[in-house]
Amino acid sequence: MDGNSDAEPGAVAEPEPIRVARTLDETGAAPAVTARDVVAWHAPGATLPVDLVALAGQARAFAEGARAEATRKAYGSDWRQFATWCRAAGLASLPAAPETVGLYLTAHAGHLAIATLTRRLSSIAVAHRMAGHPMDTRHPMIRDVMRGLRRAHGVAQDHAEVLTVPLLQRVLATCGGRLIDARDRALLLLAFGAALRRSELVALDHADIAVVPEGLRVTIQRSKSDQEGEGVVLAVGRTGTATCPVAAYDAWLAATGLDEGAVFRGITRHGRIGARLSADAVSEIVQKRAAAAGLEAGLFSGHSMRAGFATSAAQAGIEERVIMRQTRHRSAATVRRYIRHGELFARNLAREVGL
């Protein structure tokens, strides 16, 4: 949100210190608190301890850490889109009337998924709270619009195609003897065996993986479902097969000679090892390998191995609670979706009825 947004029709101008400290900037975070801002929040004539300025900066840092970086960026982007739409429509974005929010959601219903609209509504509400303006997302002009959109467009989300064991084996068959092949093989098998999110996979350091006789002990320092960093240790056992994740990891270590820092790194076309991979790079690797295996690359993503583990585990008859312990899903409903997917062809009903 830029400095001119307060001039929108119908907007109530906030005192400058409150605007500066509470509104979202381009990164989706609250701008830095200055000494002048802190003074302005105190009664006239109040004495301001020098340390309070430093404390305000620390408080801001803690507040920003309450949400994951990706979430803050998404909220910031969503807010900028909403503010831009409001300016073009001649409507106030802060504070926005419930009718304005309802109109915004309706205007974007034709080309945004319900899940995206739901997130944008959350972003708008968060921006209002940060600016000191309460927003009731249960207001009829918001709640009923969302209900109508869900009924009209449905709430089913697109999901990446799962890499079940047979498909994963096809993808792994594209890996040869180059350094990049060793990396991709280890990356795919470790992501599958530990049911890792792509963000967790690229965050792994060598210190997070212990090789023991039974297999690998993988420590996840922080994750989407563990923003406070309590950490969790996952087991990936040895299988003694051609697709053993432990053997693939050992081969990657032997090929690189590295024993500290990022586990998975970029590799140049000349075979030089670079910096830590990004989460987006994982998706690119999966899609390139899928295409090389003759699969439709666009159906797969960095989530395909994690989803593939859950589905394959369900097909193997592994109990729901055991699957959830490895995937660390908080919602049983999410895991049951994978179980249903895995059981789709458990019985051939068309054949059983005599077709």
Side-chain angles (χ1 to χ4, degrees):
M1 186 165 55
D2 58 36
N4 298 322
S5 59
D6 294 328
E8 297 164 350
V12 178
E14 292 184 311
E16 176 67 7
I18 301 298
R19 186 191 71 77
V20 171
R22 292 186 180 276
T23 56
L24 291 174
D25 66 8
E26 291 186 354
T27 66
V33 179
T34 67
R36 189 187 73 163
D37 300 329
V38 178
V39 172
W41 297 337
H42 288 69
T47 301
L48 177 69
V50 175
D51 289 347
L52 193 56
V53 177
L55 287 174
Q58 292 176 16
R60 171 179 176 266
F62 286 133
E64 288 182 356
R67 293 186 176 91
E69 180 181 358
T71 301
R72 295 199 302 272
K73 288 182 177 179
Y75 279 4
S77 175
D78 290 346
W79 173 255
R80 291 193 297 276
Q81 302 243 11
F82 175 68
T84 299
W85 182 87
C86 286
R87 281 195 292 272
L91 299 170
S93 63
L94 188 70
E99 292 80 2
T100 297
V101 178
L103 289 172
Y104 171 78
L105 294 171
T106 302
H108 291 79
H111 57 276
L112 291 180
I114 295 298
T116 302
L117 289 174
T118 301
R119 192 198 67 212
R120 288 199 177 182
L121 177 57
S122 296
S123 302
I124 294 167
V126 167
H128 276 68
R129 286 197 297 270
M130 291 182 69
H133 299 295
M135 169 172 282
D136 184 6
T137 56
R138 295 170 297 179
H139 188 284
M141 288 303 298
I142 300 175
R143 179 197 61 202
D144 292 348
V145 167
M146 286 301 297
R147 283 180 177 174
L149 290 174
R150 290 189 179 100
R151 288 177 64 89
H153 299 285
V155 295
Q157 299 181 33
D158 292 331
H159 297 284
E161 186 64 43
V162 297
L163 273 175
T164 54
V165 171
L167 290 180
L168 180 61
Q169 289 172 335
R170 282 182 58 180
V171 170
L172 291 170
T174 69
C175 297
R178 300 170 301 167
L179 183 63
I180 196 171
D181 294 318
R183 182 203 64 187
D184 290 357
R185 186 177 184 83
L187 180 149
L188 292 165
L189 284 169
L190 185 57
F192 185 97
L196 298 179
R197 299 176 176 90
R198 58 180 186 161
S199 59
E200 297 167 347
L201 184 66
V202 298
L204 286 174
D205 286 334
H206 286 278
D208 297 324
I209 302 178
V211 181
V212 296
E214 296 83 4
L216 302 177
R217 282 204 306 264
V218 182
T219 300
I220 307 301
Q221 302 289 355
R222 188 182 297 272
S223 69
K224 177 181 178 181
S225 58
D226 178 27
Q227 291 297 326
E228 296 184 2
E230 293 183 6
V232 64
V233 178
L234 304 172
V236 179
R238 297 181 186 274
T239 65
T241 63
T243 53
C244 176
V246 183
Y249 177 72
D250 284 340
W252 170 236
L253 291 188
T256 63
L258 296 174
D259 59 3
E260 61 181 18
V263 172
F264 295 112
R265 306 170 183 234
I267 299 175
T268 70
R269 61 180 179 177
H270 302 295
R272 296 192 181 90
I273 298 175
R276 184 186 302 270
L277 285 177
S278 67
D280 287 341
V282 174
S283 294
E284 293 174 4
I285 290 169
V286 173
Q287 291 179 347
K288 285 180 181 178
R289 291 293 177 180
L295 303 174
E296 189 173 342
L299 298 178
F300 298 90
S301 75
H303 184 69
S304 293
M305 291 81 72
R306 176 175 164 82
F309 170 87
T311 301
S312 298
Q315 290 174 334
I318 298 174
E319 298 94 329
E320 178 183 297
R321 61 180 177 81
V322 178
I323 298 174
M324 290 184 68
R325 188 169 62 206
Q326 188 77 348
T327 64
R328 293 152 290 127
H329 279 108
R330 290 181 175 179
S331 168
T334 302
V335 174
R336 286 168 189 158
R337 185 176 70 242
Y338 294 123
I339 293 174
R340 287 194 298 271
H341 184 91
E343 293 177 343
L344 276 177
F345 295 100
R347 296 179 64 182
N348 187 338
L349 299 183
R351 177 181 294 168
E352 289 183 31
V353 299
L355 291 180

